[in-house]
Amino acid sequence: MATEHLSPLDLAFWRMESADHPMHLGALAVFRAAGHPGSGDGHAAERAAALLAARCAAVPGLRRRIRDVLLPLGAAAWSPDPGFDPARHVFLVRTDRTRVHEAAGPLMARPLDRELPPWEAHVLAGPDPDTFAVLFKFHHALADGLGALALAAALFDEVPGPRTPVRPVPVPGQRAGSVLSRLPGVLAARVQGVGQALEIGAAMARGGLPLGVPAALTADPAGAGTRTVVGLALDLDEVNLIRKGAGGTVNDVLITLVAGALRRWLAERGDPEPLGAGPRALIPVSRRRGPRGFEGAGNRLSGYLLRLPLAEPDALRRLDRVRAGMDRNKDAGPARGAGAVALLADHVHPLGHRLGGPLVAQAARLLYDILVTSVPLPGLTFSLGGSRVHEVYPLAPLARGQSLAVAVSTYKGTVYYGLVADAAAVADLAALAGALRAELDALVREVS
């Protein structure tokens, strides 16, 4: 069997991890037994843990671990785990149901075991016998957001009927008749790759200055790596009301809510009023193609870089500025601009990833100030052992030197924000969640 090496971007995520800054993404899914409260048998969490343990053994992508290889130097490859044991990946945790997000924080702070297939599922059982939560953790080297969704979905109950595919953002193709299209394939790829790298580097130089970054968005790079997690659910109908009244896309509105919430949160903390261009938000963009593009492991990502207009006091003008910035990004495409820095991993030798991974991790805050990522969920009803998903909060990894990461998904008419913060730098994460809700209410009033 041929050796399957990690792709350059997967390898970069694997090498940049440290004990205090783990590189796994996650999702906190809250399940409720079908029927009325109290109608279950009281063993929903135990049954879910047993199902996850039984089903994970049948998912090939969850039985593979990462091993260093001799050649090429610095590379790593996937290999089957001959001693795969579900008990080392699926855990049943007793907790207070009302504090499920609080329980998720320390679990997100704990790195995955690098000697094992890089994933875990923690079933959080609370005092309500018919309700439980599952915290899924997948290393970023294993999958991006859409890939992690596919892996988690393989553990759920079978969904009847055809699956609705996730439609990723397509990557603009090469224009017909260009000079590159007439060069031999390998040479054209080399020329295009070098040109793309230079263009991305130039875009980083132009747009990478840290102008207007609040101190609250920075953390001690040498911190202990403690984490706080807070989730927030908002009505998608209200988001669509804003979109229809003020223009833009749902994603534009969701990003604008983050910008407005940060402005409110800073004011409530008594921090200085935001000035300047604003913090740089990295907006990851999927490069998966085709109707089945959400399937498969690994990372197929680029990104946009967007200044969050925190200094703008008017909510609708903030939305206009976010929409204009996102439109410029879309016109350029996800393979251009400073946000496409992830694509530079393709131009680095594996040994460079091995030696330079820690340096890249430390340089993250020089590239962007906050991660704002959206993970689209298909319009299906997910369940586990008959218990249905009622809430799902995506969770993003936190880069060294940054205090906050924001992830958002929509499911069954609800928008779910998952906030992950450095606990030492952000002691009032719940206040930011409250500011998000207040910002939504304010924008609804503006368009009503």
Side-chain angles (χ1 to χ4, degrees):
M1 181 180 296
T3 301
E4 183 183 350
H5 293 95
L6 271 69
S7 74
L9 184 54
D10 298 346
L11 186 62
F13 283 127
W14 186 247
R15 297 300 188 199
M16 70 174 59
E17 181 175 59
S18 69
D20 290 336
H21 294 86
M23 288 304 300
H24 54 256
L25 45 84
L28 182 64
V30 178
F31 294 80
R32 191 174 304 157
H36 300 290
S39 63
D41 59 12
H43 301 287
E46 291 85 346
R47 183 167 58 251
L51 282 173
L52 290 172
R55 291 174 180 176
C56 69
V59 181
L62 297 180
R63 296 176 57 97
R64 303 192 305 170
R65 58 183 178 174
I66 297 174
R67 285 289 179 264
D68 290 341
V69 295
L70 292 176
L71 294 174
L73 290 175
W78 293 103
S79 66
D81 182 1
F84 179 77
D85 183 359
R88 304 182 75 177
H89 297 274
V90 179
F91 308 93
L92 181 61
V93 182
R94 301 291 179 182
T95 186
D96 182 347
R97 168 64 186 89
T98 62
R99 302 164 71 90
V100 64
H101 290 93
E102 192 171 314
L107 292 174
M108 282 297 291
R110 189 174 73 190
L112 295 165
D113 190 332
R114 292 172 69 88
E115 297 299 314
L116 300 175
W119 70 275
E120 291 176 352
H122 298 264
V123 181
L124 308 177
D128 179 352
D130 297 329
T131 303
F132 62 93
V134 179
L135 174 64
F136 292 99
K137 294 168 56 177
F138 297 98
H139 199 285
H140 224 321
L142 174 62
D144 54 25
L146 292 179
L149 169 62
L151 289 170
L155 301 173
F156 293 155
D157 300 339
E158 186 174 352
V159 179
R163 289 181 176 266
T164 303
V166 175
R167 300 290 183 180
V169 177
V171 180
Q174 183 177 294
R175 289 178 295 178
S178 68
V179 174
L180 285 177
S181 67
R182 296 193 293 272
L183 290 175
V186 174
L187 178 58
R190 296 259 181 177
V191 172
Q192 188 174 31
V194 172
Q196 182 186 55
L198 291 174
E199 183 179 2
I200 293 171
M204 290 168 57
R206 290 193 303 269
L209 295 177
L211 304 173
V213 183
L217 293 184
T218 62
D220 182 358
T226 55
R227 297 287 180 268
T228 303
V229 170
V230 170
L232 175 69
L234 300 176
D235 190 340
L236 181 58
D237 285 342
E238 292 188 314
V239 172
N240 276 314
L241 180 66
I242 297 167
R243 176 186 62 81
K244 293 175 182 177
T249 67
V250 166
N251 202 41
D252 293 340
V253 177
L254 298 179
I255 296 171
T256 301
L257 291 178
V258 173
L262 287 172
R263 178 181 170 85
R264 287 175 179 272
W265 177 60
L266 294 171
E268 292 168 1
R269 290 162 55 101
D271 288 8
E273 184 173 346
L275 300 172
R280 300 156 299 175
L282 178 63
I283 317 289
V285 178
S286 173
R287 301 180 72 240
R288 296 173 183 266
R289 297 190 183 195
R292 298 176 65 84
F294 67 99
E295 297 179 355
N299 289 268
R300 305 173 201 174
L301 291 173
S302 180
Y304 296 145
L305 203 62
L306 178 73
R307 292 280 185 178
L308 298 181
L310 270 59
E312 174 54 63
D314 185 271
L316 290 180
R317 288 179 181 172
R318 278 196 299 271
L319 176 54
D320 287 341
R321 291 181 60 180
V322 166
R323 180 178 59 199
M326 288 298 290
D327 285 347
R328 286 193 297 271
N329 279 323
K330 292 171 188 175
D331 287 342
R336 296 289 182 267
V341 64
L343 301 184
L344 296 182
D346 292 335
H347 303 283
V348 178
H349 187 276
L351 186 59
H353 286 296
R354 184 166 191 170
L355 299 177
L359 295 177
V360 172
Q362 295 180 40
R365 63 177 178 169
L366 300 178
L367 302 175
Y368 64 96
D369 306 303
I370 181 174
L371 177 69
V372 182
T373 182
S374 176
V375 182
L377 300 180
L380 305 173
T381 299
F382 292 113
S383 63
L384 183 60
S387 297
R388 294 182 177 179
V389 173
H390 275 253
E391 305 167 37
V392 56
Y393 302 93
L395 304 173
L398 196 58
R400 182 185 296 271
Q402 296 176 352
S403 68
L404 179 67
V406 179
V408 59
S409 289
T410 57
Y411 180 70
K412 298 294 184 181
T414 302
V415 176
Y416 293 99
Y417 279 96
L419 310 178
V420 178
D422 182 299
V426 180
D428 56 346
L429 188 60
L432 178 59
L436 269 167
R437 187 176 297 278
E439 186 65 16
L440 176 69
D441 293 342
L443 273 168
V444 168
R445 288 194 297 270
E446 289 284 345
V447 299
S448 298

